[in-house]
Structures are given as structure tokens and as C-alpha cells.
Amino acid sequence: DTAVSQTPKYLVTQMGNDKSIKCEQNLGHDTMYWYKQDSKKFLKIMFSYNNKELIINETVPNRFSPKSPDKAHLNLHINSLELGDSAVYFCASSLWGEDTQYFGPGTRLTVL
Amino acid sequence: SQQGEEDPQALSIQEGENATMNCSYKTSINNLQWYRQNSGRGLVHLILIRSNEREKHSGRLRVTLDTSKKSSSLLITASRAADTASYFCATAGGGATNKLIFGTGTLLAVQP
């Protein structure tokens, strides 16, 4: 009965590859987010979707493309991976208009 | 940078002692939240304080907010080894995006 789940938990890949991270929530929320946490633990919003529509796009490179097939899912596809993409990526969800967000366990991406 | 600042960056105390963490932010806010992150895990919401509130309690947690100084503090009383984690403040400015801006985090170690 996990609330916000992400797959995979760990992802190790070579520079230049394309990879996807999946996120699902079963909380009945209508808003989902992707955050990036770097090696210094800085946590920064990347994208936000409300009812499958893009609400926030924080000047993330075009190589990152979120996709929301429905309100319960928000996937993150990354093209042409670079060393600097190595980080922990967190998915979160909330109800629109409510500020408390519920986070997934994170996906640790390592680009070699 | 929009990132909030937290201090101290790291705090080590003995079980039973109180732990105080501070957060400063830069813009006007609708509310401020505190989250906990255990090592290798996602963030868990602890408490939310609105801009028109000055103090809030939840169990062993006490949060204060001073909007004139743009600062907040989190006090954990009678700390336990299980409180060992990173603690982040996050500000919500209201508006149409549900966007949270996270602080830099305080790493709390509670020694048994």
C-alpha cells in the first residue's frame, strides 16, 4: 500500500544513454512533481503537473521530458545523459491548492 | 538563488537533549513547512505553519515563524536516536503553482 512509488530505485548508466524513471501515486492526488537532489542535498523542483497538464518547468534542459499519462502517473524521460545528471530524483504528489507534498523513496541515478 | 538557508548544517546531540534548527528565507510566503529525510529515503512532511501563525506544536515538535525576520525554527524536544535524519524547511509562496522552495537542510545526529 505504498503511497508514492518510483522505479527503479537505482539506475546506473553510461553517458549518452536515454533512460526513464516512473512514478505512481495511489493517494488520489491531482498534482505531481519531480525534484532533483544533488550531492550536497540541495532539493530543487524540476516539473509539476496538475491533471496531466504542465504547471511548472524550472528551466530544465530539453533533454528532460516529463510525461503524465493520467493523474496517478508522472514519468521522467532523460535523453543523452550527462555526468551532471547524476543525482537522486524524487517524485511527489499533492492535492491542488494544498501545500503538503508526499514524496516517493527516490531514484538514485549514476551516470558513468 | 532562491534556496533558503538553514543552520546549523550539522548538529550532534545526546538522546534526551533538545535540538533546534533554524531556517531563513528570502521572499514573502503563504506558509512554511518542515520535512524530515532519513538516509536514503524520501522526505516526510512533519508540520506546516501559516504566515499568520507564530508558533505551532505537534507532539515533540515546536515550530516558530517570524515573518518580519523571514525566519523559522524547529525544536525537537527529548530527542531520540530515531530522530537522526536531515531536516529541511520549505516555503510556499501561494499563487497558482503549489511550488515549494527547500532550504539547504540540517543533518541531525542523535547519539544513544
Side-chain angles (χ1 to χ4, degrees), chain B residues 7-70:
Chain B
D7 79 273
Q9 285 190 332
L11 179 61
S12 182
I13 59 174
Q14 296 295 125
E15 242 183 348
E17 293 180 341
N18 295 342
T20 300
M21 295 158 245
N22 303 296
C23 166
S24 60
Y25 55 92
K26 296 176 182 173
T27 60
S28 61
I29 62 170
N30 179 274
N31 66 69
L32 185 143
Q33 304 172 46
W34 286 89
Y35 286 80
R36 183 187 74 229
Q37 183 180 29
N38 289 85
S39 180
R41 308 289 289 273
L43 281 78
V44 174
H45 180 261
L46 295 175
I47 193 166
L48 180 153
I49 186 165
R50 301 203 179 278
S51 58
N52 60 354
E53 297 175 308
R54 292 295 166 257
E55 188 170 312
K56 202 157 181 185
H57 298 252
S58 175
R60 293 184 296 114
L61 305 180
R62 174 179 165 250
V63 170
T64 62
L65 179 64
D66 186 336
T67 51
S68 66
K69 294 181 180 176
K70 290 188 167 57

Short mmCIF file of all heavy atoms in Angstrom, two decimals, chain B residues 7-70:
data_model
loop_
_atom_site.label_atom_id
_atom_site.label_comp_id
_atom_site.label_asym_id
_atom_site.label_seq_id
_atom_site.Cartn_x
_atom_site.Cartn_y
_atom_site.Cartn_z
N ASP B 7 20.50 26.62 9.39
CA ASP B 7 21.67 26.43 10.22
C ASP B 7 21.25 25.79 11.54
O ASP B 7 20.11 25.98 11.96
CB ASP B 7 22.43 27.75 10.45
CG ASP B 7 21.79 28.62 11.51
OD1 ASP B 7 20.90 29.40 11.16
OD2 ASP B 7 22.18 28.45 12.70
N PRO B 8 22.10 25.01 12.15
CA PRO B 8 23.40 24.68 11.59
C PRO B 8 23.30 23.70 10.43
O PRO B 8 22.25 23.10 10.22
CB PRO B 8 24.12 24.03 12.78
CG PRO B 8 23.01 23.39 13.55
CD PRO B 8 21.83 24.30 13.41
N GLN B 9 24.39 23.50 9.71
CA GLN B 9 24.39 22.49 8.65
C GLN B 9 24.35 21.11 9.25
O GLN B 9 23.78 20.19 8.67
CB GLN B 9 25.66 22.63 7.80
CG GLN B 9 25.63 23.81 6.85
CD GLN B 9 26.78 23.78 5.87
OE1 GLN B 9 27.84 23.22 6.18
NE2 GLN B 9 26.59 24.35 4.71
N ALA B 10 24.98 20.95 10.42
CA ALA B 10 25.01 19.66 11.09
C ALA B 10 24.94 19.89 12.59
O ALA B 10 25.47 20.88 13.10
CB ALA B 10 26.27 18.88 10.71
N LEU B 11 24.29 18.97 13.28
CA LEU B 11 24.07 19.09 14.70
C LEU B 11 24.15 17.69 15.32
O LEU B 11 23.48 16.77 14.84
CB LEU B 11 22.69 19.70 14.95
CG LEU B 11 22.21 19.91 16.37
CD1 LEU B 11 23.15 20.86 17.11
CD2 LEU B 11 20.80 20.47 16.36
N SER B 12 24.98 17.56 16.36
CA SER B 12 25.10 16.28 17.04
C SER B 12 24.77 16.47 18.51
O SER B 12 25.34 17.33 19.17
CB SER B 12 26.53 15.73 16.88
OG SER B 12 26.64 14.46 17.51
N ILE B 13 23.81 15.69 19.00
CA ILE B 13 23.38 15.82 20.40
C ILE B 13 23.22 14.43 21.01
O ILE B 13 23.23 13.42 20.31
CB ILE B 13 22.04 16.58 20.51
CG1 ILE B 13 20.95 15.86 19.72
CG2 ILE B 13 22.20 18.02 20.05
CD1 ILE B 13 19.57 16.48 19.89
N GLN B 14 23.03 14.41 22.32
CA GLN B 14 22.77 13.16 23.02
C GLN B 14 21.27 12.92 23.12
O GLN B 14 20.48 13.89 23.15
CB GLN B 14 23.37 13.21 24.44
CG GLN B 14 24.88 13.35 24.50
CD GLN B 14 25.57 12.12 23.93
OE1 GLN B 14 26.39 12.21 23.03
NE2 GLN B 14 25.24 10.96 24.48
N GLU B 15 20.90 11.66 23.18
CA GLU B 15 19.49 11.32 23.38
C GLU B 15 18.95 12.04 24.61
O GLU B 15 19.64 12.14 25.64
CB GLU B 15 19.36 9.80 23.58
CG GLU B 15 18.53 9.13 22.53
CD GLU B 15 18.33 7.65 22.73
OE1 GLU B 15 19.03 7.06 23.58
OE2 GLU B 15 17.49 7.08 22.03
N GLY B 16 17.74 12.53 24.51
CA GLY B 16 17.12 13.23 25.62
C GLY B 16 17.29 14.73 25.55
O GLY B 16 16.51 15.47 26.16
N GLU B 17 18.30 15.19 24.82
CA GLU B 17 18.50 16.64 24.69
C GLU B 17 17.53 17.20 23.65
O GLU B 17 16.92 16.47 22.87
CB GLU B 17 19.95 16.93 24.27
CG GLU B 17 20.97 16.59 25.33
CD GLU B 17 22.39 16.91 24.88
OE1 GLU B 17 22.61 17.04 23.67
OE2 GLU B 17 23.26 17.00 25.75
N ASN B 18 17.42 18.52 23.66
CA ASN B 18 16.60 19.20 22.65
C ASN B 18 17.46 19.61 21.46
O ASN B 18 18.65 19.92 21.63
CB ASN B 18 15.96 20.45 23.25
CG ASN B 18 14.98 20.12 24.36
OD1 ASN B 18 14.51 18.99 24.48
ND2 ASN B 18 14.68 21.12 25.18
N ALA B 19 16.86 19.61 20.29
CA ALA B 19 17.57 20.03 19.07
C ALA B 19 16.82 21.20 18.45
O ALA B 19 15.60 21.14 18.29
CB ALA B 19 17.63 18.88 18.07
N THR B 20 17.55 22.24 18.11
CA THR B 20 16.95 23.41 17.47
C THR B 20 17.63 23.68 16.13
O THR B 20 18.85 23.72 16.05
CB THR B 20 17.10 24.67 18.35
OG1 THR B 20 16.43 24.44 19.59
CG2 THR B 20 16.46 25.87 17.67
N MET B 21 16.80 23.81 15.11
CA MET B 21 17.29 24.12 13.76
C MET B 21 16.60 25.39 13.28
O MET B 21 15.44 25.62 13.61
CB MET B 21 16.93 22.99 12.79
CG MET B 21 17.63 21.72 13.11
SD MET B 21 16.75 20.33 12.41
CE MET B 21 16.25 19.51 13.90
N ASN B 22 17.34 26.19 12.53
CA ASN B 22 16.83 27.46 12.06
C ASN B 22 16.79 27.51 10.54
O ASN B 22 17.62 26.90 9.87
CB ASN B 22 17.71 28.60 12.58
CG ASN B 22 17.80 28.59 14.08
OD1 ASN B 22 16.82 28.78 14.78
ND2 ASN B 22 19.00 28.33 14.60
N CYS B 23 15.83 28.28 10.05
CA CYS B 23 15.65 28.40 8.60
C CYS B 23 15.42 29.87 8.28
O CYS B 23 14.60 30.52 8.94
CB CYS B 23 14.45 27.55 8.19
SG CYS B 23 13.82 27.85 6.53
N SER B 24 16.12 30.38 7.29
CA SER B 24 15.84 31.74 6.82
C SER B 24 15.47 31.66 5.35
O SER B 24 15.98 30.80 4.62
CB SER B 24 17.06 32.65 7.03
OG SER B 24 18.16 32.15 6.32
N TYR B 25 14.58 32.55 4.94
CA TYR B 25 14.13 32.51 3.56
C TYR B 25 14.11 33.93 3.01
O TYR B 25 14.35 34.89 3.75
CB TYR B 25 12.75 31.87 3.46
CG TYR B 25 11.69 32.51 4.34
CD1 TYR B 25 10.87 33.52 3.85
CD2 TYR B 25 11.51 32.08 5.66
CE1 TYR B 25 9.91 34.11 4.64
CE2 TYR B 25 10.54 32.67 6.46
CZ TYR B 25 9.74 33.67 5.95
OH TYR B 25 8.79 34.25 6.75
N LYS B 26 13.84 34.06 1.71
CA LYS B 26 14.07 35.35 1.07
C LYS B 26 12.82 36.08 0.61
O LYS B 26 12.82 37.30 0.53
CB LYS B 26 15.00 35.15 -0.13
CG LYS B 26 16.38 34.67 0.28
CD LYS B 26 17.27 34.37 -0.90
CE LYS B 26 18.61 33.84 -0.39
NZ LYS B 26 19.47 33.38 -1.48
N THR B 27 11.76 35.37 0.28
CA THR B 27 10.60 36.02 -0.29
C THR B 27 9.41 35.92 0.66
O THR B 27 9.44 35.17 1.63
CB THR B 27 10.23 35.40 -1.64
OG1 THR B 27 9.93 34.01 -1.42
CG2 THR B 27 11.39 35.51 -2.63
N SER B 28 8.35 36.64 0.36
CA SER B 28 7.15 36.53 1.19
C SER B 28 6.53 35.15 0.97
O SER B 28 6.68 34.55 -0.09
CB SER B 28 6.14 37.62 0.83
OG SER B 28 5.76 37.48 -0.50
N ILE B 29 5.88 34.65 2.01
CA ILE B 29 5.40 33.27 1.94
C ILE B 29 3.94 33.18 2.34
O ILE B 29 3.39 34.06 3.01
CB ILE B 29 6.22 32.34 2.86
CG1 ILE B 29 6.09 32.77 4.33
CG2 ILE B 29 7.67 32.30 2.43
CD1 ILE B 29 6.67 31.77 5.30
N ASN B 30 3.32 32.10 1.93
CA ASN B 30 1.98 31.74 2.35
C ASN B 30 2.06 30.81 3.56
O ASN B 30 1.26 30.91 4.50
CB ASN B 30 1.26 31.06 1.18
CG ASN B 30 -0.14 30.63 1.52
OD1 ASN B 30 -0.36 29.55 2.04
ND2 ASN B 30 -1.09 31.50 1.25
N ASN B 31 3.01 29.90 3.52
CA ASN B 31 3.25 29.02 4.66
C ASN B 31 4.67 28.48 4.60
O ASN B 31 5.35 28.61 3.57
CB ASN B 31 2.24 27.87 4.73
CG ASN B 31 2.37 26.91 3.57
OD1 ASN B 31 3.34 26.18 3.44
ND2 ASN B 31 1.37 26.92 2.68
N LEU B 32 5.10 27.88 5.69
CA LEU B 32 6.43 27.27 5.77
C LEU B 32 6.24 25.87 6.35
O LEU B 32 5.46 25.68 7.28
CB LEU B 32 7.36 28.09 6.64
CG LEU B 32 8.83 27.63 6.73
CD1 LEU B 32 9.77 28.83 6.78
CD2 LEU B 32 9.05 26.71 7.89
N GLN B 33 6.95 24.92 5.77
CA GLN B 33 6.81 23.54 6.20
C GLN B 33 8.17 22.98 6.60
O GLN B 33 9.19 23.44 6.11
CB GLN B 33 6.23 22.69 5.06
CG GLN B 33 4.91 23.21 4.53
CD GLN B 33 4.47 22.47 3.28
OE1 GLN B 33 4.52 21.25 3.22
NE2 GLN B 33 4.02 23.23 2.28
N TRP B 34 8.15 21.97 7.43
CA TRP B 34 9.36 21.22 7.77
C TRP B 34 9.16 19.77 7.34
O TRP B 34 8.10 19.17 7.56
CB TRP B 34 9.65 21.29 9.26
CG TRP B 34 10.18 22.64 9.68
CD1 TRP B 34 9.45 23.73 10.07
CD2 TRP B 34 11.56 23.03 9.75
NE1 TRP B 34 10.29 24.77 10.37
CE2 TRP B 34 11.59 24.37 10.19
CE3 TRP B 34 12.77 22.39 9.48
CZ2 TRP B 34 12.77 25.08 10.37
CZ3 TRP B 34 13.95 23.09 9.67
CH2 TRP B 34 13.95 24.41 10.10
N TYR B 35 10.23 19.23 6.73
CA TYR B 35 10.25 17.85 6.28
C TYR B 35 11.45 17.14 6.88
O TYR B 35 12.50 17.76 7.13
CB TYR B 35 10.35 17.78 4.74
CG TYR B 35 9.09 18.14 3.99
CD1 TYR B 35 8.74 19.47 3.80
CD2 TYR B 35 8.27 17.16 3.46
CE1 TYR B 35 7.59 19.81 3.11
CE2 TYR B 35 7.11 17.49 2.75
CZ TYR B 35 6.79 18.81 2.58
OH TYR B 35 5.64 19.14 1.88
N ARG B 36 11.32 15.85 7.06
CA ARG B 36 12.43 15.02 7.53
C ARG B 36 12.82 14.04 6.43
O ARG B 36 11.96 13.51 5.73
CB ARG B 36 12.02 14.23 8.78
CG ARG B 36 13.16 13.39 9.38
CD ARG B 36 12.67 12.50 10.51
NE ARG B 36 11.92 11.37 10.00
CZ ARG B 36 10.73 11.00 10.47
NH1 ARG B 36 10.16 11.67 11.45
NH2 ARG B 36 10.12 9.96 9.95
N GLN B 37 14.12 13.81 6.28
CA GLN B 37 14.61 12.84 5.31
C GLN B 37 15.59 11.91 6.02
O GLN B 37 16.67 12.31 6.41
CB GLN B 37 15.31 13.52 4.12
CG GLN B 37 15.76 12.51 3.06
CD GLN B 37 16.44 13.17 1.87
OE1 GLN B 37 17.07 14.22 1.99
NE2 GLN B 37 16.32 12.56 0.71
N ASN B 38 15.17 10.66 6.18
CA ASN B 38 16.10 9.66 6.70
C ASN B 38 17.05 9.26 5.58
O ASN B 38 16.72 9.38 4.40
CB ASN B 38 15.33 8.44 7.20
CG ASN B 38 14.58 8.76 8.48
OD1 ASN B 38 13.47 9.27 8.44
ND2 ASN B 38 15.19 8.49 9.62
N SER B 39 18.21 8.79 5.96
CA SER B 39 19.26 8.47 4.99
C SER B 39 18.74 7.50 3.93
O SER B 39 18.19 6.44 4.24
CB SER B 39 20.45 7.84 5.73
OG SER B 39 21.46 7.53 4.82
N GLY B 40 18.88 7.90 2.66
CA GLY B 40 18.48 7.03 1.56
C GLY B 40 16.99 6.93 1.35
O GLY B 40 16.53 6.06 0.60
N ARG B 41 16.23 7.81 1.97
CA ARG B 41 14.78 7.74 1.85
C ARG B 41 14.21 9.04 1.30
O ARG B 41 14.92 10.03 1.12
CB ARG B 41 14.16 7.46 3.23
CG ARG B 41 14.74 6.29 3.96
CD ARG B 41 14.36 4.97 3.34
NE ARG B 41 12.97 4.64 3.54
CZ ARG B 41 12.50 4.00 4.60
NH1 ARG B 41 13.33 3.63 5.56
NH2 ARG B 41 11.22 3.71 4.69
N GLY B 42 12.90 9.04 1.07
CA GLY B 42 12.22 10.26 0.62
C GLY B 42 11.91 11.17 1.79
O GLY B 42 12.16 10.86 2.94
N LEU B 43 11.37 12.33 1.48
CA LEU B 43 11.04 13.31 2.51
C LEU B 43 9.66 13.02 3.09
O LEU B 43 8.75 12.62 2.38
CB LEU B 43 11.05 14.72 1.92
CG LEU B 43 12.43 15.35 1.74
CD1 LEU B 43 13.12 14.81 0.50
CD2 LEU B 43 12.32 16.86 1.65
N VAL B 44 9.56 13.27 4.39
CA VAL B 44 8.30 13.08 5.08
C VAL B 44 7.88 14.39 5.70
O VAL B 44 8.68 15.05 6.40
CB VAL B 44 8.44 12.00 6.19
CG1 VAL B 44 7.16 11.90 7.00
CG2 VAL B 44 8.79 10.65 5.57
N HIS B 45 6.65 14.79 5.44
CA HIS B 45 6.14 16.05 5.98
C HIS B 45 5.97 15.95 7.49
O HIS B 45 5.41 14.98 8.00
CB HIS B 45 4.79 16.37 5.32
CG HIS B 45 4.18 17.62 5.81
ND1 HIS B 45 3.19 17.67 6.76
CD2 HIS B 45 4.42 18.91 5.48
CE1 HIS B 45 2.85 18.92 6.99
NE2 HIS B 45 3.59 19.69 6.22
N LEU B 46 6.45 16.98 8.20
CA LEU B 46 6.34 16.99 9.66
C LEU B 46 5.28 17.96 10.15
O LEU B 46 4.41 17.61 10.96
CB LEU B 46 7.68 17.39 10.28
CG LEU B 46 8.85 16.42 10.08
CD1 LEU B 46 10.11 17.01 10.66
CD2 LEU B 46 8.54 15.08 10.70
N ILE B 47 5.36 19.20 9.68
CA ILE B 47 4.49 20.24 10.24
C ILE B 47 4.45 21.42 9.29
O ILE B 47 5.42 21.68 8.56
CB ILE B 47 5.01 20.66 11.64
CG1 ILE B 47 3.98 21.49 12.40
CG2 ILE B 47 6.35 21.35 11.56
CD1 ILE B 47 4.30 21.63 13.89
N LEU B 48 3.33 22.12 9.27
CA LEU B 48 3.14 23.29 8.43
C LEU B 48 2.69 24.45 9.31
O LEU B 48 1.82 24.26 10.17
CB LEU B 48 2.08 22.99 7.36
CG LEU B 48 1.69 24.08 6.35
CD1 LEU B 48 1.19 23.43 5.05
CD2 LEU B 48 0.64 25.04 6.88
N ILE B 49 3.27 25.61 9.10
CA ILE B 49 2.86 26.80 9.84
C ILE B 49 2.53 27.89 8.82
O ILE B 49 3.28 28.12 7.86
CB ILE B 49 3.96 27.26 10.84
CG1 ILE B 49 3.45 28.43 11.70
CG2 ILE B 49 5.27 27.60 10.16
CD1 ILE B 49 4.31 28.70 12.92
N ARG B 50 1.40 28.52 8.99
CA ARG B 50 0.94 29.52 8.03
C ARG B 50 1.55 30.89 8.38
O ARG B 50 1.96 31.13 9.51
CB ARG B 50 -0.59 29.59 8.01
CG ARG B 50 -1.21 28.26 7.65
CD ARG B 50 -2.60 28.35 7.09
NE ARG B 50 -3.08 27.01 6.76
CZ ARG B 50 -2.79 26.36 5.64
NH1 ARG B 50 -2.01 26.92 4.72
NH2 ARG B 50 -3.24 25.16 5.42
N SER B 51 1.51 31.78 7.41
CA SER B 51 2.18 33.08 7.59
C SER B 51 1.54 33.92 8.68
O SER B 51 2.18 34.81 9.24
CB SER B 51 2.20 33.85 6.27
OG SER B 51 0.88 34.05 5.81
N ASN B 52 0.29 33.63 9.03
CA ASN B 52 -0.36 34.41 10.09
C ASN B 52 -0.26 33.73 11.46
O ASN B 52 -0.87 34.17 12.42
CB ASN B 52 -1.84 34.67 9.74
CG ASN B 52 -2.62 33.39 9.59
OD1 ASN B 52 -2.08 32.29 9.63
ND2 ASN B 52 -3.93 33.53 9.41
N GLU B 53 0.52 32.65 11.53
CA GLU B 53 0.75 31.96 12.79
C GLU B 53 2.17 32.24 13.28
O GLU B 53 3.09 32.44 12.47
CB GLU B 53 0.54 30.45 12.61
CG GLU B 53 -0.88 30.08 12.22
CD GLU B 53 -1.03 28.58 11.94
OE1 GLU B 53 -0.25 28.04 11.13
OE2 GLU B 53 -1.94 27.98 12.53
N ARG B 54 2.34 32.22 14.59
CA ARG B 54 3.67 32.50 15.14
C ARG B 54 4.30 31.25 15.74
O ARG B 54 5.53 31.14 15.83
CB ARG B 54 3.58 33.59 16.22
CG ARG B 54 3.22 34.93 15.65
CD ARG B 54 4.33 35.44 14.73
NE ARG B 54 3.88 36.56 13.91
CZ ARG B 54 3.56 36.44 12.63
NH1 ARG B 54 3.65 35.27 12.02
NH2 ARG B 54 3.16 37.49 11.94
N GLU B 55 3.47 30.32 16.18
CA GLU B 55 4.00 29.11 16.81
C GLU B 55 3.02 27.98 16.60
O GLU B 55 1.79 28.19 16.56
CB GLU B 55 4.18 29.37 18.31
CG GLU B 55 4.89 28.28 19.06
CD GLU B 55 5.26 28.69 20.47
OE1 GLU B 55 5.83 29.79 20.64
OE2 GLU B 55 4.97 27.91 21.40
N LYS B 56 3.59 26.78 16.46
CA LYS B 56 2.74 25.61 16.29
C LYS B 56 3.43 24.41 16.93
O LYS B 56 4.66 24.30 16.92
CB LYS B 56 2.51 25.35 14.81
CG LYS B 56 1.28 24.53 14.52
CD LYS B 56 0.81 24.78 13.12
CE LYS B 56 -0.44 23.96 12.84
NZ LYS B 56 -0.88 24.08 11.46
N HIS B 57 2.62 23.51 17.49
CA HIS B 57 3.16 22.33 18.15
C HIS B 57 2.57 21.09 17.52
O HIS B 57 1.42 21.07 17.08
CB HIS B 57 2.78 22.33 19.64
CG HIS B 57 3.34 23.48 20.40
ND1 HIS B 57 4.37 23.35 21.30
CD2 HIS B 57 3.03 24.80 20.39
CE1 HIS B 57 4.65 24.52 21.83
NE2 HIS B 57 3.85 25.42 21.28
N SER B 58 3.38 20.04 17.50
CA SER B 58 2.89 18.73 17.09
C SER B 58 3.74 17.69 17.81
O SER B 58 4.91 17.48 17.45
CB SER B 58 3.00 18.55 15.58
OG SER B 58 2.62 17.24 15.20
N GLY B 59 3.18 17.07 18.83
CA GLY B 59 3.96 16.08 19.60
C GLY B 59 5.20 16.72 20.21
O GLY B 59 5.12 17.72 20.92
N ARG B 60 6.37 16.19 19.88
CA ARG B 60 7.63 16.73 20.40
C ARG B 60 8.20 17.85 19.52
O ARG B 60 9.30 18.33 19.76
CB ARG B 60 8.65 15.59 20.50
CG ARG B 60 8.30 14.54 21.55
CD ARG B 60 9.41 13.48 21.69
NE ARG B 60 9.58 12.71 20.46
CZ ARG B 60 10.67 12.76 19.71
NH1 ARG B 60 11.70 13.53 20.03
NH2 ARG B 60 10.76 12.01 18.61
N LEU B 61 7.44 18.26 18.53
CA LEU B 61 7.91 19.31 17.62
C LEU B 61 7.28 20.65 17.98
O LEU B 61 6.09 20.73 18.28
CB LEU B 61 7.55 18.98 16.17
CG LEU B 61 8.01 17.64 15.62
CD1 LEU B 61 7.55 17.50 14.17
CD2 LEU B 61 9.51 17.49 15.71
N ARG B 62 8.11 21.68 17.92
CA ARG B 62 7.59 23.04 18.09
C ARG B 62 8.21 23.89 17.00
O ARG B 62 9.43 23.93 16.84
CB ARG B 62 7.96 23.59 19.47
CG ARG B 62 7.60 25.05 19.67
CD ARG B 62 7.97 25.51 21.07
NE ARG B 62 7.95 26.96 21.17
CZ ARG B 62 9.04 27.72 21.31
NH1 ARG B 62 10.23 27.18 21.39
NH2 ARG B 62 8.93 29.03 21.39
N VAL B 63 7.37 24.57 16.26
CA VAL B 63 7.83 25.42 15.16
C VAL B 63 7.44 26.86 15.46
O VAL B 63 6.33 27.12 15.91
CB VAL B 63 7.21 24.98 13.83
CG1 VAL B 63 7.49 26.01 12.74
CG2 VAL B 63 7.74 23.63 13.40
N THR B 64 8.36 27.77 15.21
CA THR B 64 8.05 29.20 15.30
C THR B 64 8.30 29.84 13.95
O THR B 64 9.09 29.34 13.14
CB THR B 64 8.92 29.90 16.36
OG1 THR B 64 10.30 29.77 15.98
CG2 THR B 64 8.71 29.29 17.73
N LEU B 65 7.61 30.93 13.73
CA LEU B 65 7.75 31.66 12.47
C LEU B 65 7.78 33.15 12.77
O LEU B 65 6.90 33.67 13.47
CB LEU B 65 6.59 31.34 11.53
CG LEU B 65 6.58 32.05 10.18
CD1 LEU B 65 7.78 31.64 9.34
CD2 LEU B 65 5.28 31.76 9.42
N ASP B 66 8.77 33.82 12.26
CA ASP B 66 8.89 35.28 12.38
C ASP B 66 8.96 35.84 10.96
O ASP B 66 10.02 35.86 10.34
CB ASP B 66 10.14 35.65 13.19
CG ASP B 66 10.22 37.14 13.48
OD1 ASP B 66 9.62 37.94 12.72
OD2 ASP B 66 10.89 37.52 14.45
N THR B 67 7.83 36.31 10.46
CA THR B 67 7.80 36.78 9.07
C THR B 67 8.55 38.10 8.90
O THR B 67 9.01 38.40 7.81
CB THR B 67 6.36 36.93 8.57
OG1 THR B 67 5.62 37.71 9.51
CG2 THR B 67 5.69 35.58 8.41
N SER B 68 8.67 38.87 9.99
CA SER B 68 9.41 40.14 9.87
C SER B 68 10.90 39.87 9.67
O SER B 68 11.59 40.63 8.99
CB SER B 68 9.20 40.99 11.12
OG SER B 68 9.78 40.38 12.25
N LYS B 69 11.39 38.77 10.22
CA LYS B 69 12.80 38.40 10.06
C LYS B 69 12.97 37.35 8.98
O LYS B 69 14.10 36.92 8.70
CB LYS B 69 13.37 37.87 11.38
CG LYS B 69 13.44 38.92 12.48
CD LYS B 69 14.05 38.33 13.75
CE LYS B 69 14.12 39.40 14.82
NZ LYS B 69 14.62 38.85 16.10
N LYS B 70 11.87 36.90 8.40
CA LYS B 70 11.90 35.84 7.39
C LYS B 70 12.68 34.64 7.93
O LYS B 70 13.66 34.17 7.32
CB LYS B 70 12.50 36.33 6.07
CG LYS B 70 11.61 37.32 5.32
CD LYS B 70 12.16 37.62 3.94
CE LYS B 70 11.16 38.33 3.05
NZ LYS B 70 10.66 39.60 3.60
#
